[in-house]
Amino acid sequence: MSSSCCTPDGSCHTSAGESTTATAVADSTATTYRVSGMTCGHCKTAITKSVGELAGVISVDVDVAGGLVTVTTGGEADDAAMAAAVDDAGYELTGRA
């Protein structure tokens, strides 16, 4: 049997560094924005990369068909920084959804 961080009851034990990350995610905020101009996988990649490079961003989920970008941050999202990152990727953030 191979070793794993997961116990038989489905809980996990991790190192202190990983616990800190889990805490940051637990204290995170998800904000969804409407973004215009997205049409394909390249759009998703470009926005994910640009927004993902912002300080405090934990994850980025892009729904091209719905025109939505959900950003999980370690605190309150900075709308101006998000708009600038989306603009840098070549798209337009039109507001919060």
Side-chain angles (χ1 to χ4, degrees), residues 4-96:
S4 171
C5 72
C6 295
T7 60
D9 69 358
S11 64
C12 294
H13 60 277
T14 58
S15 70
E18 291 171 348
S19 295
T20 302
T21 301
T23 301
V25 171
D27 294 337
S28 65
T29 302
T31 308
T32 303
Y33 297 95
R34 286 184 300 279
V35 175
S36 65
M38 299 186 299
T39 59
C40 65
H42 169 76
C43 301
K44 180 176 182 173
T45 301
I47 289 176
T48 300
K49 181 179 184 304
S50 184
V51 172
E53 291 174 349
L54 294 174
V57 171
I58 297 168
S59 69
V60 180
D61 181 43
V62 179
D63 174 5
V64 173
L68 301 173
V69 176
T70 301
V71 182
T72 304
T73 53
E76 185 59 35
D78 181 343
D79 292 346
M82 295 297 170
V86 169
D87 184 63
D88 286 347
Y91 307 92
E92 181 184 1
L93 187 148
T94 59
R96 288 191 180 204

